Amino acid sequence: ASTLADRLVVVTAGPTFEDLDPVRYIGNRSSGRMGLAIAREAVRRGARVHLVLGPTSLEPPAGCETTRVRRAADLHAAVMPLAESADVVIMAAAVADYTPVAPSHQKIAKQAGPVTLTLARTVDILAERGQRRASAGHGPVLVGFAAETEHVISRASEKRRRKQVDLIVANDVSRADAGFDVETNIVTLVGPDATEALPLQTKSRVA
């Protein structure tokens, strides 16, 4: 029997959009394909899956409960209570690191000259979960992702240590055949004692 049978697996997927005004936002190129593939595979293996999904045109897989979110703050609010009873938390979403401090309630009018934006750090959800687990001495298996353009493995290793998580899935998003908004991916699994490089393959196979 699958080790995921009847286990609660929380998966995050997709980007977050941080609004500047009712028309404009800061976002990223994540399509959600990798996280959706993981959710689909977890369902196939018998898990109870709760998917927290950022803005994407892709449909969530059948068989999982889905909470849709827009901003990093929304994702944080959804994930934190779910993680309390989860067996596994897989943070595949591309969560914004920064958000506008004072988004406008009206469309910002075009003006001559440059516009200055003040951005604030968003809450680091994976690090917060890692800290909570370390303090409590128990908690879900924690898996994070590291989308990098250089020094991929060293940065992923540091991220895993700093955030106190079990596994980081590292990928080089500067490649045209991997990372954002393509059907394939090439990743390295970075654990506490070893790394395992997977060849280029479909995201469903990576999952």
Side-chain angles (χ1 to χ4, degrees), residues 133-147:
R133 187 180 65 171
S135 297
H138 61 84
V141 173
L142 296 175
V143 179
F145 276 67

Side-chain angles (χ1 to χ4, degrees), residues 12-17 31 52-58 67-70 75 93:
T12 71
T16 66
F17 289 170
S31 65
V52 183
L53 184 60
T56 176
S57 60
L58 302 178
T67 298
R68 290 189 178 269
V69 297
R70 180 174 177 83
L75 196 144

Side-chain angles (χ1 to χ4, degrees), residues 61-192:
C64 67
E65 186 173 353
T66 302
T67 298
R68 290 189 178 269
V69 297
R70 180 174 177 83
R71 304 171 303 146
D74 303 330
L75 196 144
H76 176 264
V79 167
M80 295 308 287
L82 287 171
E84 292 297 327
S85 57
D87 297 289
V88 183
V89 176
I90 303 175
M91 294 288 296
V95 186
D97 293 322
Y98 296 92
T99 190
V101 169
S104 174
H105 297 296
Q106 303 297 329
K107 180 183 176 183
I108 300 170
K110 187 186 299 185
Q111 53 188 286
V115 172
T116 300
L117 297 175
T118 303
L119 305 177
R121 276 295 307 268
T122 58
V123 175
D124 190 324
I125 304 168
L126 186 61
E128 185 173 332
R129 287 309 323 171
Q131 290 165 4
R132 288 197 183 191
R133 187 180 65 171
S135 297
H138 61 84
V141 173
L142 296 175
V143 179
F145 276 67
E148 303 290 350
T149 58
E150 61 179 355
H151 311 303
V152 176
I153 304 306
S154 60
R155 287 184 176 177
S157 297
E158 169 58 19
K159 184 175 184 177
R160 193 206 64 79
R161 184 198 62 77
R162 176 168 38 86
K163 298 192 179 188
Q164 304 179 81
V165 302
D166 300 290
L167 187 72
I168 291 290
V169 183
N171 65 318
D172 183 348
V173 295
S174 68
R175 292 179 53 130
D177 56 359
F180 292 139
D181 206 21
V182 291
E183 298 285 353
T184 55
N185 210 354
I186 183 167
V187 304
T188 299
L189 308 179
V190 180

Side-chain angles (χ1 to χ4, degrees), residues 175 184-188 196-203 205-206:
R175 292 179 53 130
T184 55
N185 210 354
I186 183 167
V187 304
T188 299
E196 180 182 356
L198 302 183
L200 181 70
Q201 55 193 310
T202 65
K203 287 181 176 177
R205 289 289 298 168
V206 174

